[in-house]
Amino acid sequence: MKVANPIYDIVFKYMMEDERIARTILSALLKVEVLAVEVRPHEYSDDTHDNLSVFRIDFGATILDAEDTSNDVKIVLKKLRFEAEAPCFLITVIEDTHVTTKCIDIKGITRERLFSDKYYRVLNLFHQMYIIDQDDYVMTQVEAIYENDEDLYGILRFLENLLADANVVSKMKEESKRHLCYNRSEMLVRYEFSVYALQVKLRLSEQESMLRATIKMLLDAGKSLEEISAAIGKDLNIVKKLAAN
């Protein structure tokens, strides 16, 4: 089955606005049962710094704790992704005065755990092991892994329908170009800095050679190191070092 790649912010946004999918994914991230969830109005950030994108969504939710007690909480979910890498999730649960935060690194999840645990099978949707080489916007998923699980199979069908939406595919490509643009800008800055650093190094080397020649000339003229230091305005230790080389 070919589906839209959920590591892209636009796809992730559409997914998490679906109540059933949001419950399934938040349950997997928190490893608790989320009974109900709704997207809250928020000033979410959709920023890119260098080649890192940060996407935030806020939720109001009801979760079931280990003692089977339901609690109303606020959930702040941030998806962080570097270009060409699986995302990390930073998730914060706010309950009265109690706040807990955890980070889930998708890259650190092993294949065995992905398929042996429902929660990890959900998170596997964000892993890149199934991306088709020639098209980063499309993933292939083995239906047999999910078809016996109504929630997971529902997510696949949702992603399949998103892939058929030309607007979604276009926005994924725009996001990819934005990453590439930032990446190229970062490479250009690094290159310009390395050129500048080399120029500074060459200038310093030239100055050092001139100083060394001046010190040698003054020493040959019978001047002491202390006199030379005072004459050229350089620290005595620097003068001694240049005179010794």
Side-chain angles (χ1 to χ4, degrees):
M1 176 187 288
K2 294 184 179 181
V3 299
N5 190 340
I7 67 172
Y8 286 91
D9 292 345
I10 183 64
V11 177
F12 184 69
K13 177 178 181 290
Y14 277 121
M15 290 174 65
M16 299 307 286
E17 287 176 345
D18 183 284
E19 196 267 347
R20 177 184 176 186
I21 293 177
R23 276 193 292 106
T24 304
I25 292 176
L26 291 175
S27 294
L29 291 170
L30 293 171
K31 285 208 162 186
V32 298
E33 186 177 353
V34 177
L35 302 175
V37 64
E38 64 176 354
V39 178
R40 289 279 177 85
H42 53 273
E43 295 291 333
Y44 68 80
S45 57
D46 184 7
D47 301 324
T48 305
H49 305 284
D50 294 332
N51 57 344
L52 169 68
S53 71
V54 181
F55 187 82
R56 169 180 170 169
I57 307 181
D58 293 357
F59 301 93
T62 301
I63 62 174
L64 197 65
D65 62 22
E67 299 176 353
D68 289 336
T69 303
S70 62
N71 299 289
D72 293 329
V73 299
K74 178 182 178 182
I75 298 174
V76 177
L77 177 63
K78 292 182 180 180
K79 181 172 74 68
L80 302 89
R81 179 172 74 89
F82 284 95
E83 174 68 1
E85 291 189 9
C88 294
F89 290 99
L90 192 66
I91 187 164
T92 302
V93 178
I94 304 168
E95 180 181 0
D96 295 329
T97 57
H98 185 60
V99 178
T100 58
T101 299
K102 63 187 294 191
C103 182
I104 298 93
D105 183 3
I106 301 299
K107 292 184 296 182
I109 300 174
T110 65
R111 185 183 178 89
E112 290 73 20
R113 294 177 72 186
L114 286 170
F115 294 116
S116 63
D117 185 296
K118 174 182 175 178
Y119 290 145
Y120 287 103
R121 290 202 304 276
V122 173
L123 299 184
N124 180 43
L125 293 170
F126 299 94
H127 199 278
Q128 293 204 15
M129 69 171 71
Y130 290 106
I131 286 183
I132 301 173
D133 293 339
Q134 65 269 26
D135 192 348
D136 288 342
Y137 318 115
V138 180
M139 295 178 70
T140 56
Q141 291 289 341
V142 182
E143 293 183 67
I145 298 173
Y146 301 99
E147 59 191 7
N148 292 327
D149 190 305
E150 210 172 293
D151 287 333
L152 289 174
Y153 201 61
I155 294 175
L156 284 191
R157 289 300 182 188
F158 185 91
L159 290 173
E160 186 180 39
N161 291 333
L162 282 185
L163 186 61
D165 188 328
N167 182 52
V168 173
V169 174
S170 175
K171 287 183 177 180
M172 280 194 286
K173 291 180 178 179
E174 287 175 11
E175 184 182 333
S176 185
K177 287 178 182 177
R178 188 168 68 247
H179 271 290
L180 184 60
C181 179
Y182 275 101
N183 198 29
R184 285 176 176 170
S185 298
E186 183 184 11
M187 289 176 64
L188 179 61
V189 168
R190 287 179 180 175
Y191 171 74
E192 291 177 344
F193 178 77
S194 66
V195 170
Y196 173 74
L198 179 60
Q199 291 173 342
V200 170
K201 184 177 181 181
L202 289 173
R203 285 200 296 271
L204 290 175
S205 180
E206 290 172 358
Q207 292 172 7
E208 186 177 300
S209 296
M210 291 176 62
L211 278 173
R212 190 177 289 110
T214 301
I215 291 170
K216 184 177 185 304
M217 181 183 68
L218 292 173
L219 284 172
D220 291 343
K223 299 293 184 180
S224 68
L225 292 175
E226 288 77 8
E227 291 174 320
I228 295 173
S229 174
I232 65 176
K234 292 292 182 182
D235 183 79
L236 179 59
N237 290 327
I238 294 176
V239 172
K240 288 180 179 179
K241 182 178 179 181
L242 290 172
N245 293 333

